[in-house]
Amino acid sequence: MKVKILIGSVVAAAALIFCAITFVKTNVEYTDFQTAIASHKTVQVKGEWLRDRESAFEASSGKFIFAMRDDHGKEMKVCYDGARPNNFEIANAIVVKGRYQEGVFQASDILTKCPSKYEGDAAAVKKTL
Amino acid sequence: MIGTLLVRGAFAAILVSGISYYLVFRSGNGRYLQIARYAYHCAVAMVMGFCTLLLYFILTHQFQYTYVWNYSSTDLPTPLLISTFYAGQEGSFSLWTLYTSIIGIILMQYTSRKNYEVEVMFVWSLILSFLLLMLLVKNPFAFIWDTFPKDLLHSGSIPAEVSNALWIDPVRRIWAQIPVEGRGLNPLLQNYWMVIHPQILFTGFSSMAVPYTFAVAGLLRRDYQGWVTVAKPWTVFGAAVLGTGIILGGYWAYETLGWGGYWGWDPVENSSLIPWLVSIASIHTMMAQRRSGTFVRTNFLLSILCFVMVLYSTFLTRSGVLGETSVHSFVDPGNWAYWLLLAVIFVFGVFGFGLLLRRMRQMPRVPVEHSIFSREFALYLGAFTICFAAIFITIGTSSPIITGILKGRAAAVDTAFYVKTTLPLGIALSLLAGIGQLLWWKSSSRKALLASLFYPLISAVVFTAGLLIAGIRDIPYVLFSFAASFALFVNLSVGYRIFRGNPRYAGGAIAHIGLALLFLGFVASSRYDEKQTVSLEEGKPVDVLGGYKLTYLGNRPLDAERYGFSVEVDHGNEIYTVMPIIRYSSFTNSMMRHPDILNMVTRDFYVSPVSVETPDQRKEQTLNFKKGETRDVNGMQVTFVDFDFSDTEKGRMVTGGEFTIGVILEVRNEGKKERLKPLMKNSGGSISYIPAAIAGSAIQFTIAKLQPNREDPSQSSVEIGVTAPGSKSNKPQAETLIVEASIKPFINLVWMGTITLVVGFILTIVRRVEEARQRD
């Protein structure tokens, strides 16, 4: 019985260490463009889509290119590997995941934060009167 | 008003019920039992009452309620209108409360037969009281003028032209303006899945509380064995329902959201997966305890943990704690949810685990009678492995909290974390799901085990060799396929034997066959999926993904907002037509894409629309010019010369009359020079813009913003919008549809596996219910 518990604990400890290592390796830091440029690591950056700048889907490469400004005011061209995400136009904030490469932020993932649709706001109530 | 009263009444009644049950438990005196039952039924009646009322308000568009206004609108078809009931926080908590209260009635009858009513219903009332407390704080019946007092409340007399007014306080002459339309349902949710999926999920969530109440009841009355038999059918039921809910959610994502997958490791998905995994683990150890009386503490631990994980998951997704790191967690609902949910986890965690710790020493030690080569041990290892999967996924999902505490900044893990950590567990689980079925209770002879291993092992080796020949080289996935196929072959042969004997006992084997198919489907469809983005010019066939010829045939409107795009898929001698849909929602002012799927036996051909380029599509861009600055616009040199704002116009501006400001632009294009003057006209505050176009071309310049600098006129700048037809070179003549085409090999295994798994569950439930009934 003792041996069983010992083996069990060793296996459990090994599993948790494996988990911890993977956790650190795959953890994507939440940061701004400045740090992304400095580190060249995969990071997440929150910001807003600059609607008035040119944005386009490049059919030949399958990439969606747009401009974004992070919370510290730094602007950056973002190149996303895919089509414009479903909720992109209504998002009040977007989070891009990827890395800085050759002057462009290469995003592998975009999260769109939907606006306060879920908590009513005064402008909306006036529209429905 | 009645709604709020009913919520309060239900809360009061459930407190009475809980206290009365506690008194019966404490005194052993049945005097209060009738009161407890009566109060419980009252509470349920009131819960049903306010839910019906909320539904009635939604169906009759009573926009004076903030919740109704926030999630529904008059143009929704009835099924979707009903589904707006649980589109928001307040409503989904109401639904959870409703199902919990109804399950409680069944539970009351069941436990009174099993002589377990007092303790179980005491804990159940406690759970229900916390759910109702949540609704007291976040009331679904809040009035809209209380939510927006500044915008809606007025005093004095109601003007004649206002038809949507309501007196709030006639004495103090206060009235409110009521919206005539609601904000409507998010178009992404406007789907038949929305009608069914949350219902199943919440039934599962509600039933996950049952094993917890039985475990606590068992601890309270020091019955360490009997509770397992009584609780078992409920655990299996909860796991079956929640599992169905999870996979339906996956199918929803795959079929309508168009990102091409069925599982994204999002916190919302994980939050239902974690309790499900714990419940699956506990099903296995409960089975061992019923058979051999072992794993007493493990079963208490897992049953308590399961519900605590339901609460923790709710906390993760509903409190806003994940903040910006998740896609679909609710936007910050305020402090109330955060602290209340945290308190709920604390209360039920401490209650359950604390009681377990106190009783631990008193529990009689059950001597271990099983060897390593026993089914008990395999079950234990299986549960152990499943729990580790649950732990890993919990750690991954909680990453923003963990990193927030450790590093002060929240960071999520990449989905690779989940794949990397759960893959070895998947391999171990598959092997156990095979070997475990071949082992006997207590102990089995090694010879018999080896003999029964022979054919499944050979089959799995042959299967894996086939995969290697087919070109699969990724070692972890080869191992996973080997292990899963081994589990499949073992359970096929075991299941066949049991099925011939007594089909009702085949539930376990059938569920494991489903699991093995599911695992094989995961490997094939996610690891070996191929993707390609292509531009399809109308009428011109394009070859994609080796062997598929796509031709865009044209589009047609399906209704006011949705357009269908017909694409012909030519695959060898078969020709199909698919029609992915793009919806231009005026509600959210956005575009939504729905894929179309060509379902074949060995693969799905998945076509997701990306965008449409029409030949006359105009490109618009906005440019910022400083005074005197020259910029390149589509090959033209454009200079912002100066404002055109004469003294006469200035005088008009001062006197408040109509005035015009112009921007003088100099455009040099192919050697020609031209001056243009787009205008801004202000007549009494209403502003209009008059564009200027280059002679003989469609390129237009419009003022977007004027930024004059009075102190230093040379620092003035303007923003100019330039509208031009699509780029001049290689301009598409016909309409071009851009799609993402992908092949999902053997994705049918995922759905087949799921259905098989659920069938296995149903057979098991039937059997366990019969067993529990025999004990009466």
Side-chain angles (χ1 to χ4, degrees), chain B residues 535-549:
Chain B
S535 303
L536 304 172
E537 204 174 302
E538 196 170 338
K540 266 194 190 166
V542 178
D543 274 313
V544 292
L545 296 165
Y548 294 87
K549 198 175 271 176

Side-chain angles (χ1 to χ4, degrees), chain B residues 92-160:
Chain B
S92 52
F93 271 114
S94 302
L95 188 72
W96 191 358
T97 312
L98 177 68
Y99 285 154
T100 305
S101 66
I102 292 171
I103 287 175
I105 290 181
I106 305 164
L107 193 63
M108 187 192 284
Q109 283 165 4
Y110 178 81
T111 48
S112 75
R113 282 203 308 271
K114 307 282 172 200
N115 188 26
Y116 241 107
E117 181 187 348
V118 178
E119 293 89 343
V120 165
M121 290 310 292
F122 161 59
V123 183
W124 196 259
S125 302
L126 204 63
I127 292 171
L128 203 48
S129 68
F130 267 97
L131 287 172
L132 282 163
L133 187 62
M134 215 86 85
L135 291 176
L136 278 183
V137 185
K138 196 78 176 171
N139 184 358
F141 297 100
F143 287 118
I144 195 147
W145 53 82
D146 290 330
T147 317
F148 305 103
K150 267 188 239 148
D151 307 284
L152 300 180
L153 281 184
H154 307 275
S155 62
S157 51
I158 301 173

Side-chain angles (χ1 to χ4, degrees), chain B residues 166-188:
Chain B
L166 188 77
W167 284 108
I168 306 296
D169 188 345
V171 182
R172 288 162 57 207
R173 302 196 65 73
I174 293 173
W175 55 276
Q177 215 178 343
I178 311 294
V180 291
E181 183 53 274
R183 299 180 89 183
L185 184 64
N186 186 340
L188 276 181

Side-chain angles (χ1 to χ4, degrees), chain A residues 15 19 26-30 46 54 57 59 83-84 86-87 90 97 111 113 117-118 120 122 124-126 128, chain B residues 69-71 151 180-181 183-184 186 188 323-326 399 409-412 414 417 535 588 591 593 610 738:
Chain A
C19 171
T26 56
N27 217 281
V28 185
E29 206 186 333
Y30 224 112
K46 181 179 155 247
E54 200 178 351
F57 179 76
R84 173 189 294 218
N86 266 342
N87 268 340
I90 52 165
K97 185 155 94 183
L111 308 185
K113 295 303 290 180
K117 161 87 189 81
Y118 295 102
V125 79
K126 281 190 178 154
T128 52
Chain B
W69 168 79
N70 215 351
Y71 297 101
D151 307 284
V180 291
E181 183 53 274
R183 299 180 89 183
N186 186 340
L188 276 181
E324 273 111 27
T325 55
S326 156
S399 169
R409 238 189 321 187
D414 194 80
F417 169 83
S535 303
T588 52
M591 192 166 103
R593 312 172 181 86
V610 175
I738 298 156

